[in-house]
Amino acid sequence: MEEMLNGFLFAWLVTLSLATIAVAQDDQSGFISIDCGIPAGSNYTDRITGLSYTSDVGYVSGGVSNSISLIYQSNSPERLFLTVTSFPLGTKNCYTLTPAQGIFGKYLIRASFLYGDYDGTGQLPNFDLYIGENYWDTVTISNASIPIRKEIIYTPSTDYITVCLVKTDTTTPFISALELRPLNITIYPTLSKSLELYARLNFGTLTNQYIRYNYDAYDRIWMPFLWDTKAIINTTQDVLENTYRVPSAIMSTAVTPDPLTATNESVSFYWTANNITERYYIYMHFAEVVEVPVTQIREFNIYINDNLFYGPMSPNYLSTTTVYTVSPGYGVERYDIVINKTAISTLPPLLNAVEIYREI
Ligand SMILES: *[C@@H]1O[C@H](CO)[C@@H](O)[C@H](O)[C@H]1NC(C)=O
Ligand SMILES: *[C@@H]1O[C@H](CO)[C@@H](O)[C@H](O)[C@H]1NC(C)=O
Ligand SMILES: *[C@@H]1O[C@H](CO)[C@@H](O)[C@H](O)[C@H]1NC(C)=O
Ligand SMILES: *[C@@H]1O[C@H](CO)[C@@H](O)[C@H](O)[C@H]1NC(C)=O
Ligand SMILES: *[C@@H]1O[C@H](CO)[C@@H](O)[C@H](O)[C@H]1NC(C)=O
Ligand SMILES: *[C@@H]1O[C@H](CO)[C@@H](O)[C@H](O)[C@H]1NC(C)=O
C-alpha cells in the first residue's frame, strides 16, 4: 500500500541521553493529585505508588461525594477509584487547577473515571470533557467496572487550568480522580497547545504490569504490550535517561524479531485514524540492551508508510535515544511503522517503547 503522508516526513528530531546522570528529582513537587469524593479536607498516601492524594474540596464547587457500590468495591480497584464526585446540577462543572509554574509550564493532566454504579441506577453515564474553553474528549462508560483514563499534555495560556465536565444527555457527569504533573517544557514539542494520549506502550515487558510513578518521574502510565511474534531482550543494568526521562524499568527491555518465528527481520506496527483529519505525533524510545560484540552491528532505518523517516541509526548501549515527529502526520487512514535492519547490520532491529499522541 502506497500512501502519501502530508507534513509528516523529513521532520524529525533526536534527543540523546545527557552525558551525566541527572540527580533524580523524583519528589512530588508540583504534582496536584486529587482523589474526588474522599471526605472534605482529608488526604492519604497511596500504598502502591506513594502518591499523596487530597480531596477535591477547594478545586470545584457543586459536586456530590459518593462511594462506588459494594460489589464493585469487592473487585479491589485502585484506591482512587473507590469514591467519585458527581455533578447532578448544572450543565458545566469545572475544576480549577493552579500549577506552580503557571503559563511557563507544560503539564500532563489525567482525568480518571470508574462508574462502579455509585448512584445505584446502573445507568452508564456519557458526558464531555473540556479543558479551558476547548473540547477535550467524550467520556463514554460502557462497563461499570472498567476504568477510563483521559490524558493530555497541555500548555496553558493562563496561570490556571480548568477541566470541565459537561452534561450531554440525561446521565450525570462524575469523576474519580484528577492529576496534574509538570513536565520539562522542552519535551513533546508540538504545533498545537495540547496533545491527547493515544497509546503509551512498553515493549518487551517481563512482568506484564503497567508502570508509573515513582519509576516514572513524570508519572506517565506505561502499558505492557504483549507481542507474540517478537522476542524479548533485556538488561539488568540501568539505562540512562534523556530529557524524556523514560524510566530504566521501561528502557531495559526491548522487542526484536524472534529468530525462531520471524518471517522477516523487521519490527513493524500500525494504527488507524478514526478520521483522516486527525493529526498524530509519535515518539519512539530506543536503547541497546545487549553488549554488541565489535564484530557485530545493530543498525536500522525507520519508515513511516514506506517513506524513510529516520536512519540509519544504531542505538547506544544503556542510553536512551528518542526519535520523534516535530510536525504531525495526517491525511491517511492508517499509519504503518516499519523498522528495518540496514544491509550492513548483522543484528535485527529493536524497539523499547513508543508513545502516540493526537493533536486536539
Ligand atoms: C493531610 O491531613 C492532615 C491531617 O488532617 C493535615 O495535617 C495535613 O496538612 C494534610 N496534608 C495535606 C497535604 O493536605
Ligand atoms: C465488564 O468488564 C468485566 C471485567 O472485564 C467483565 O467481566 C464483564 O463481563 C463486563 N461486563 C459487561 C456488561 O460487559
Ligand atoms: C529541561 O530539559 C532541558 C534540555 O535537556 C535541560 O537543559 C533542563 O535542565 C531541563 N529542565 C529541568 C527543570 O529539568
Ligand atoms: C533478563 O531478565 C531476566 C529476568 O529478570 C534475567 O534473569 C536475565 O539475567 C536478564 N538478561 C540479561 C542479559 O540481563
Ligand atoms: C472527520 O472530521 C471532519 C472535521 O472535523 C468532519 O467534518 C467529518 O464529518 C469527519 N468524518 C467522519 C467520517 O467522521
Ligand atoms: C522492510 O523489510 C521487509 C523485509 O525485510 C520488506 O518486506 C519491506 O519492504 C521493508 N520495508 C521498507 C520500507 O523498506
Side-chain angles (χ1 to χ4, degrees):
M1 180 169 39
E2 299 286 336
E3 286 157 324
M4 262 317 289
L5 208 59
N6 302 311
F8 210 12
L9 300 171
F10 316 119
W12 47 262
L13 269 182
V14 180
T15 299
L16 295 164
S17 292
L18 303 170
T20 53
I21 298 177
V23 177
Q25 292 177 317
D26 297 351
D27 58 68
Q28 296 174 43
S29 63
F31 283 24
I32 299 175
S33 306
I34 303 169
D35 183 346
C36 307
I38 65 172
S42 68
N43 62 64
Y44 69 86
T45 298
D46 185 82
R47 191 173 50 83
I48 295 164
T49 60
L51 289 163
S52 300
Y53 289 89
T54 58
S55 82
D56 60 9
V57 169
Y59 292 100
V60 70
S61 54
V64 178
S65 297
N66 311 262
S67 295
I68 63 168
S69 73
L70 289 175
I71 51 163
Y72 292 98
Q73 288 183 30
S74 66
N75 294 341
S76 311
E78 287 165 59
R79 181 164 179 180
L80 56 77
F81 289 124
L82 292 175
T83 56
V84 307
T85 294
S86 65
F87 297 93
L89 298 176
T91 307
K92 185 176 189 180
N93 285 279
C94 299
Y95 282 79
T96 303
L97 307 176
T98 314
Q101 295 89 335
I103 57 169
F104 302 108
K106 178 179 272 190
Y107 307 97
L108 179 155
I109 299 168
R110 180 165 50 229
S112 305
F113 310 88
L114 179 88
Y115 169 56
D117 197 25
Y118 74 84
D119 56 357
T121 67
Q123 200 185 16
L124 302 175
N126 188 77
F127 52 91
D128 284 347
L129 210 51
Y130 276 68
I131 185 134
E133 293 302 310
N134 302 312
Y135 171 79
W136 169 357
D137 206 346
T138 296
V139 179
T140 303
I141 306 292
S142 53
N143 182 320
S145 65
I146 295 182
I148 290 183
R149 291 186 168 99
K150 301 290 184 187
E151 196 182 296
I152 59 170
I153 290 173
Y154 186 66
T155 312
S157 45
T158 53
D159 56 12
Y160 61 91
I161 298 169
T162 56
V163 174
C164 306
L165 309 180
V166 177
K167 205 174 168 80
T168 51
D169 59 16
T170 57
T171 63
T172 300
F174 76 97
I175 183 167
S176 303
L178 185 60
E179 300 168 302
L180 175 145
R181 314 293 181 228
L183 300 174
N184 188 316
I185 198 153
T186 63
I187 63 174
Y188 304 109
T190 155
L191 304 178
S192 75
K193 281 209 158 299
S194 39
L195 295 179
E196 177 178 38
L197 180 65
Y198 179 75
R200 182 183 294 124
L201 303 173
N202 176 18
F203 292 137
T205 168
L206 297 171
T207 60
N208 197 26
Q209 288 175 327
Y210 72 78
I211 287 175
R212 62 180 293 184
Y213 187 83
N214 66 5
Y215 291 100
D216 189 318
Y218 293 136
D219 192 25
R220 287 160 294 196
I221 297 178
W222 297 87
M223 302 307 289
F225 186 83
L226 294 176
W227 209 331
D228 291 341
T229 59
K230 296 281 176 285
I232 296 171
I233 50 176
N234 66 293
T235 177
T236 49
Q237 302 202 59
D238 276 348
V239 177
L240 196 62
E241 292 181 348
N242 61 15
T243 43
Y244 280 82
R245 301 206 65 185
V246 181
S248 190
I250 300 296
M251 295 306 297
S252 61
T253 59
V255 289
T256 191
D258 188 338
L260 300 176
T261 63
T263 51
N264 67 46
E265 293 192 305
S266 65
V267 170
S268 53
F269 60 95
Y270 73 92
W271 73 92
T272 52
N274 296 319
N275 187 322
I276 63 164
T277 59
E278 290 174 344
R279 296 155 70 89
Y280 287 92
Y281 290 80
I282 184 168
Y283 303 80
M284 287 174 265
H285 307 287
F286 298 95
E288 181 57 81
V289 292
V290 299
E291 268 190 279
V292 177
V294 288
T295 54
Q296 306 254 323
I297 180 168
R298 191 192 308 277
E299 189 187 74
F300 48 79
N301 287 311
I302 304 167
Y303 294 85
I304 301 181
N305 289 8
D306 289 331
N307 296 293
L308 180 63
F309 172 63
Y310 184 71
M313 78 174 283
S314 279
N316 296 323
Y317 183 52
L318 302 180
S319 171
T320 302
T321 302
T322 300
V323 177
Y324 57 97
T325 47
V326 289
S327 56
Y330 58 95
V332 293
E333 277 166 11
R334 175 171 160 147
Y335 295 88
D336 276 284
I337 311 294
V338 175
I339 306 175
N340 269 13
K341 74 186 188 100
T342 63
I344 64 160
S345 185
T346 61
L347 296 170
L350 59 67
L351 179 56
N352 310 62
V354 156
E355 294 172 87
I356 301 164
Y357 293 86
R358 199 162 41 200
E359 205 174 271
I360 51 172

